[in-house]
Amino acid sequence: MNKLRQSLRRRKPAYVPEASRPHQWQADEDAVRKGTCSFPVRYLGHVEVEESRGMHVCEDAVKKLKAMGRKSVKSVLWVSADGLRVVDDKTKDLLVDQTIEKVSFCAPDRNLDKAFSYICRDGTTRRWICHCFLALKDS
């Protein structure tokens, strides 16, 4: 009887960790190396933070920027091996030009589905700054 029960149970598909699926990310890795990797985003802005890492720090920064009520800027986030660039979609102005070496932490927001942010060291003031975004479409 026990064997019959086991045979009737639905089996969950075996979990395969991300590291075991490199073929999924090969195109993104090539695009980053070539400097052609971009994502449509809404740039919420940046805010000074006290710590250099932590999901709670990023989430608090997103909450703070959304509470300010400033309008987000429709833009494109370019990712390359050298850095991150945010370009205004309408005016083509460069909003952020950040070297990868200065980025200390990056995280998705657990409260807002499409929100994410990264923390970096400001080059002139040496303060920690959190840049916040909302992803557009299915990026």
Side-chain angles (χ1 to χ4, degrees), residues 48-73:
E48 184 178 341
V49 293
E50 297 297 319
E51 299 175 53
S52 64
R53 37 186 81 247
M55 288 186 81
H56 64 284
V57 176
C58 292
E59 289 165 358
D60 290 345
V62 170
K63 277 185 201 167
K64 190 173 185 180
L65 285 168
K66 287 192 73 73
M68 286 177 160
R70 289 194 341 220
K71 190 175 178 186
S72 59
V73 180

Side-chain angles (χ1 to χ4, degrees), residues 5-35:
R5 278 190 198 133
Q6 286 178 349
S7 67
L8 293 175
R9 285 187 187 152
R10 291 184 188 170
R11 295 191 181 156
K12 293 180 183 178
Y15 174 72
V16 179
E18 290 292 327
S20 299
R21 295 182 261 175
H23 62 280
Q24 268 190 326
W25 308 108
Q26 193 61 45
D28 289 336
E29 186 177 335
D30 293 340
V32 168
R33 289 180 194 273
K34 292 176 187 170

Side-chain angles (χ1 to χ4, degrees), residues 30-121:
D30 293 340
V32 168
R33 289 180 194 273
K34 292 176 187 170
T36 59
C37 186
S38 66
F39 302 96
V41 295
R42 280 195 143 328
Y43 181 57
L44 296 174
H46 66 276
V47 65
E48 184 178 341
V49 293
E50 297 297 319
E51 299 175 53
S52 64
R53 37 186 81 247
M55 288 186 81
H56 64 284
V57 176
C58 292
E59 289 165 358
D60 290 345
V62 170
K63 277 185 201 167
K64 190 173 185 180
L65 285 168
K66 287 192 73 73
M68 286 177 160
R70 289 194 341 220
K71 190 175 178 186
S72 59
V73 180
K74 191 174 180 183
S75 51
V76 178
L77 172 64
W78 291 89
V79 181
S80 70
D82 299 326
L84 304 169
R85 288 179 184 81
V86 180
V87 179
D88 188 321
D89 204 26
K90 190 183 284 183
T91 64
K92 305 299 181 208
D93 288 343
L94 184 65
L95 302 174
V96 177
D97 189 11
Q98 185 68 55
T99 60
I100 287 290
E101 291 83 23
K102 302 251 190 235
V103 175
S104 67
F105 189 76
C106 179
D109 197 300
R110 291 177 288 197
N111 304 321
L112 294 168
D113 191 35
K114 298 204 174 235
F116 66 97
S117 49
Y118 71 87
I119 300 173
C120 64
R121 179 75 92 173

